[in-house]
Amino acid sequence: MTVKRRSHGRNKKGRGHTVSLRCNNCAKMVPKDKACKRFIVRNMVEAAAVRDMSEASAIPNYSLPKMYLKIASCISCAIHSRQVRVRSVATRKIRTPPRKLLRKN
């Protein structure tokens, strides 16, 4: 039978079974090694209110706390939200991870 991907879309390699996760978008059960996982660091306060909060705070140079989110989504939701792209047959063979975006400092 023909195979679309050499890994069958998973990162299991020698393990018989992996733990399942729930997709954050649609709550579908997804194997942990197949899910698209992202670690998001986000400010608790939106950008428009940061200046108002810093002016109103009693403590000088107070850094606002951040939210640390580990998001796991199924493949269909990751494609729909453009976290991953559909690749052609030739580019599916490329196994190097894409370059990460550089953050502005």
Side-chain angles (χ1 to χ4, degrees), residues 16-32:
H17 184 77
T18 54
V19 178
S20 294
L21 301 173
R22 288 278 187 174
C23 172
N24 282 49
N25 191 35
C26 67
K28 180 181 177 182
M29 292 291 282
V30 189
K32 186 179 179 183

Side-chain angles (χ1 to χ4, degrees), residues 60-74:
N61 299 329
Y62 177 73
S63 60
L64 291 169
K66 295 183 181 294
M67 285 192 299
Y68 299 96
L69 305 168
K70 179 78 181 222
I71 291 177
S73 56
C74 64

Side-chain angles (χ1 to χ4, degrees), residues 23-99:
C23 172
N24 282 49
N25 191 35
C26 67
K28 180 181 177 182
M29 292 291 282
V30 189
K32 186 179 179 183
D33 57 326
K34 190 172 190 170
C36 293
K37 295 176 282 293
R38 298 285 184 266
F39 189 72
I40 297 175
V41 180
R42 195 180 291 163
N43 287 328
M44 282 207 179
V45 183
E46 65 271 1
V50 169
R51 195 171 134 233
D52 297 334
M53 294 282 287
S54 62
E55 289 173 358
S57 79
I59 303 166
N61 299 329
Y62 177 73
S63 60
L64 291 169
K66 295 183 181 294
M67 285 192 299
Y68 299 96
L69 305 168
K70 179 78 181 222
I71 291 177
S73 56
C74 64
I75 298 295
S76 57
C77 289
I79 291 169
H80 183 72
S81 64
R82 299 193 189 116
Q83 286 181 15
V84 292
R85 302 281 168 133
V86 177
R87 297 191 292 171
S88 66
V89 176
T91 55
R92 266 183 228 143
K93 307 291 184 212
I94 301 169
R95 294 176 58 83
T96 55
R99 291 186 295 147

